[in-house]
Amino acid sequence: DPKPPLGFKPNFVLFLADDQDRILGREGYDTMGSLAAMPQLQRRLVNEGAFVEHFYVNTPICCPSRTELLTGRYFHNVGPPRMPGSCMHVDTSVASSNETGLFGLLTRVGYAVGVFGKVTNDQERVLSELVASKSVDAIDSPLN
């Protein structure tokens, strides 16, 4: 094992919550946008965690956005025209692969990886692929 630059492998937790809008639909909201309507999420994740001021998604719709985030790829590399996938036209297998998806890549370098909650709208297939590819150590997620 190569020695990590910090002398240790840092722990981290990735929370992914859909539809957190800070630009569109601001009328009636403060600078927190749609998070103003979710005080528990705002209190726990924003006030007690990190807040990214300038993070944008390439495709602001559920399955494509999640697959892009979990693979580091743009839509044209996870969806049409080359990969006509089954989840909103996205091939989610790149997210569940132990060679291209975040979960598998972290597992391959020695992290313990758990998945809790929704991964994509193609949940049952993605979870089955994560297990088959040994990309996660623990799963506690609904099938659909």
Side-chain angles (χ1 to χ4, degrees), residues 21-130:
D21 183 349
R22 293 191 67 207
I23 297 173
L24 300 174
R26 273 204 174 171
E27 190 164 321
Y29 289 126
D30 60 13
T31 58
M32 294 307 294
S34 62
L35 282 173
M38 300 175 210
Q40 295 292 344
L41 182 65
Q42 183 178 344
R43 183 175 57 81
R44 300 303 298 268
L45 294 184
V46 177
N47 297 347
E48 296 178 21
F51 194 82
V52 181
E53 287 288 335
H54 300 287
F55 182 87
Y56 299 95
V57 294
N58 187 51
T59 310
I61 188 167
C62 183
C63 214
S65 176
R66 286 171 177 266
T67 303
E68 291 169 2
L69 176 69
L70 296 173
T71 62
R73 297 175 178 205
Y74 286 112
F75 183 74
H76 65 276
N77 290 319
V78 298
R82 295 182 332 143
M83 304 168 138
S86 62
C87 185
M88 296 180 172
H89 306 289
V90 170
D91 178 7
T92 56
S93 68
V94 292
S96 55
S97 166
N98 66 359
E99 294 184 10
T100 55
L102 179 64
F103 306 121
L105 294 172
L106 289 171
T107 299
R108 288 174 57 191
V109 295
Y111 278 94
V113 177
V115 174
F116 307 93
K118 178 179 170 184
V119 179
T120 70
N121 289 345
D122 202 7
Q123 188 81 340
E124 187 170 0
R125 187 171 71 79
V126 167
L127 294 177
S128 295
E129 290 173 355
L130 288 171

